[in-house]
Amino acid sequence: MTKRRLDDLGIFGGKPEFQEPVHVGQLNLPPWERFEEAFRGIFARRYFTNHGPLVRELDRRLAEYLGVRNVVCVTNGTVALMVACKAMDLHGEVIVPSFTFPATVQALSWAGLTPVFCDIDPQTHNISAALAEPLISPRTSAILGVHVWGRACDPAGLQRLCNARGIRLFFDAAHGLGCEHDGISLATWGDLAIYSFHATKVFSSAEGGCLATDDDRLAERVRTVRNFHVAETFDRVPLRINGKMTEAQAAMGLLSLENLDHWIRRNVELYRRYAEWDVKESVGAFVDYAGSQRSNHQYCIFDVDPARLGISRNQLLAVMRAENVLARRYFYPGVHRLTPYNLLFPDADLSLPATIAISERLLQLPLGDGIDLGTVDRITAIMEICYRHAGELRVRMEPTIQQ
Ligand code: T4K
C-alpha cells in the first residue's frame, strides 16, 4: 500500500516500502539461454584468457560502436586508467577532478603521479578548461577529465588548452558508454578514453573495462602494457601489468552490447517518470541530460537543495535507507577529503568550493532493468511525504540526522 503519512515511513517505525533492497546500480542481465550458450563455447574451446576469440570480437565490436580505430579491453576501469598512464609515459603532475570515484585518482597514485585537484562547474559537475588552466605548472604532464554521469567534460575546450600548453589529455569515461557530445562519441576526444564495464554500469561484463583511442601507436603501447607476456615487444614501455580481460567477461560484454539500446531506452523511460514527479511537484531537484548530449541515463541524480525540498540530502538518504532503497551519495565527500589525499593536501578544501557544495547535495536513486515504473512511483511517493511534511520531519529526525 502506498505510504501517505510520516508515521508510515520506515524511519519512524513503519514497515519498509520494499522487502528486498532496491539498488542504485544497473545490474542488467542478458537472457540466460544466450549466456549459457556463450559459456558452452568457452568450455568447448578450453580457451579462457590471453586475448581469446571473444575478447578480440568485443574489441572489434566496441571500436565499431564507439566510432574509434582501437579498443583494448581490460580487467576493469581502474586498470584501464593505470595502463593509460604508463602507455602515455606520464610523469609529474596530472590535473584531475576531486569530484569523481576514488579509482580515478588512485590509478594516478599507482602510476607514481601526483594528482592536482581541479574544482568543478556546479552546473555540469565537471572540470573545464577555464578551471584547469591556472593549475598547469612546469611539472604538469596531462589533464585527466572525467565525463561525470556521462555528461561531456568540456572536451573541445580542454583539447584546445592541452594543445596550446603541450600536455596530454585523456578522459575517464567510466560512466559514458553510449553517450555522445555534439553527435560524437565520447571515445574520440583526447589521446584516449577509458570505460568501465562494472556490474553497476549500463554496459556490463560483471567486471571489465577498455581503453579507446584513434592513435594506432598509442593502442600498441596500451596492448603491450596490458600484458606482461613477452611475445609482444615494442620499444621503451615503462612497466607492464596483467590487465587482460577473460573470455567469460567478454561473453557477458558481447551480450550486453546486444541489449544496450534496450537498456538505455529503459533508463530513459524510468528517468522520465522521476522527472514527471519532479516537475508536477515543482521540486526542481532533477539533474537533466538536455542540450547537445546523447546520454545512457545510467545515473538518476537528485540535487537536494534544502531550501527547496525542505530537508537535507542526508535526511532524505536516511529516509530512503529505512525503506530499503539503497540510494547513494556519489561522490561524497570528494577524493581530496579521503586519506591519504587529505593528509597530502591539507588545504585543498580552499580551492574546491563547488566540489564540496555539490558532493553534499547529490543523491543517486535506483534505475536499471531490475526496477519498473511502479518502483519509481513508490520511491517518489516516499519523497512526496518528505516534501509535504518537511518541517515536521526535520523536527522528528533531530538530533539523529541533520546536515
Ligand atoms: N572512474 C569512475 C568515474 C568511476 O565511477 C569508476 C567506478 C571507475 C573509474 C573505476 O571503474 P571500475 O574499476 O569499477 O571498473 C560502484 C562500482 O563498483 C564502480 O564501478 C563505480 N565506478 C562506482 C560509481 O560505483 P560502489 O562501491 O559504490 O558499488 P557497490 O559495490 O556498493 O554497488 C552499488 C550497489 O549495487 C549496492 O547497493 C550493491 C549493488 N550490487 C553491486 C554489485 C557489484 C548488486 O546488487 N550486485 C552486484 O553484483 O562502486
Side-chain angles (χ1 to χ4, degrees):
M1 201 187 78
T2 312
K3 299 187 175 221
R4 297 191 192 289
R5 302 169 306 130
L6 277 185
D7 284 333
D8 294 336
L9 295 180
I11 199 158
F12 299 128
K15 191 167 163 248
E17 178 69 27
F18 298 96
Q19 279 193 333
E20 298 296 325
V22 186
H23 299 288
V24 156
Q26 297 271 303
L27 313 170
N28 298 330
L29 295 175
W32 171 253
E33 300 71 33
R34 300 293 318 282
F35 190 65
E36 196 177 5
E37 187 189 326
F39 263 69
R40 282 188 195 289
I42 296 173
F43 277 37
R45 284 188 295 277
R46 290 180 190 269
Y47 199 91
F48 303 120
T49 184
N50 287 13
H51 328 305
L54 297 184
V55 173
R56 280 183 278 124
E57 190 183 341
L58 186 59
D59 283 354
R60 259 194 322 274
R61 298 266 303 275
L62 281 173
E64 216 174 275
Y65 181 83
L66 294 170
V68 277
R69 289 176 58 80
N70 307 280
V71 160
V72 183
C73 283
V74 292
T75 325
N76 57 56
T78 310
V79 165
L81 285 164
M82 291 158 66
V83 167
C85 294
K86 287 297 173 190
M88 292 165 74
D89 247 342
L90 300 184
H91 53 84
E93 297 176 353
V94 174
I95 296 168
V96 65
S98 165
F99 189 71
T100 182
F101 196 61
T104 312
V105 183
Q106 283 167 338
L108 298 179
S109 299
W110 272 106
L113 299 162
T114 304
V116 174
F117 292 113
C118 183
D119 207 9
I120 51 169
D121 176 329
Q123 297 305 318
T124 65
H125 304 170
N126 282 323
I127 66 168
S128 66
L131 291 162
E133 186 165 17
L135 304 175
I136 296 176
S137 82
R139 294 175 300 285
T140 309
S141 63
I143 295 178
L144 169 53
V146 180
H147 300 300
V148 173
W149 324 133
R151 300 199 294 185
C153 173
D154 190 16
L158 285 171
Q159 190 66 71
R160 272 194 303 275
L161 174 64
C162 289
N163 289 349
R165 302 298 288 266
I167 55 177
R168 309 293 292 265
L169 173 65
F170 64 129
F171 286 102
D172 178 338
H175 304 171
L177 210 107
C179 299
E180 290 177 357
H181 174 65
D182 283 341
I184 304 170
S185 144
L186 295 182
T188 59
W189 298 94
D191 292 304
L192 63 73
I194 73 94
Y195 288 86
S196 165
F197 310 155
H198 186 256
T200 51
K201 301 290 191 293
V202 66
F203 174 88
S204 153
S205 58
E207 285 278 0
C210 77
L211 300 96
T213 179
D214 275 326
D215 181 336
D216 294 347
R217 191 170 154 73
L218 182 56
E220 281 314 313
R221 290 174 67 86
V222 163
R223 288 191 186 98
T224 308
V225 175
R226 173 222 17 201
N227 181 17
F228 53 61
H229 198 258
V230 289
E232 300 173 65
T233 44
F234 292 91
D235 55 351
R236 201 170 65 81
V237 172
L239 198 62
R240 294 176 178 212
I241 195 171
N242 179 2
K244 291 169 292 180
M245 177 180 266
T246 67
E247 288 290 276
Q249 287 173 290
M252 184 85 165
L254 285 164
L255 293 174
S256 278
L257 200 53
E258 284 178 18
N259 290 284
L260 183 57
D261 288 344
H262 161 73
W263 287 329
I264 291 176
R265 277 198 302 275
R266 182 99 188 98
N267 277 347
V268 171
E269 194 184 7
L270 295 165
Y271 212 97
R272 285 199 180 132
R273 190 69 153 230
Y274 278 112
E276 275 167 25
W277 173 81
D278 192 43
V279 169
K280 181 169 68 78
E281 297 299 322
S282 305
V283 176
F286 173 75
V287 174
D288 202 0
Y289 294 107
S292 56
Q293 312 273 320
R294 178 185 183 268
S295 172
N296 57 25
H297 285 73
Q298 118 178 291
Y299 291 101
C300 179
I301 304 133
F302 277 75
D303 182 347
V304 185
D305 178 355
R308 276 181 303 169
L309 194 68
I311 59 170
S312 72
R313 186 273 307 273
N314 287 353
Q315 288 168 327
L316 182 59
L317 175 68
V319 169
M320 286 296 167
R321 288 279 167 92
E323 303 297 345
N324 239 341
V325 177
L326 304 189
R328 298 300 284 262
R329 297 182 292 179
Y330 298 133
F331 292 108
Y332 176 80
V335 182
H336 73 281
R337 287 182 156 186
L338 302 174
T339 305
Y341 304 105
N342 57 346
L343 303 174
L344 292 168
F345 310 105
D347 298 328
D349 264 6
L350 300 175
S351 55
L352 300 166
T355 299
I356 294 165
I358 291 295
S359 78
E360 285 172 359
R361 284 167 43 156
L362 301 190
L363 192 66
Q364 283 70 38
L365 294 172
L367 277 183
D369 212 33
I371 69 164
D372 57 16
L373 293 173
T375 309
V376 174
D377 291 342
R378 289 163 73 188
I379 293 172
T380 51
I382 298 164
M383 292 169 68
E384 194 158 323
I385 296 175
C386 297
Y387 182 46
R388 292 197 186 283
H389 305 280
E392 193 187 337
L393 188 133
R394 274 199 314 272
V395 173
R396 287 181 64 177
M397 279 177 92
E398 276 177 334
T400 38
I401 305 132
Q402 267 306 301
Q403 256 300 302

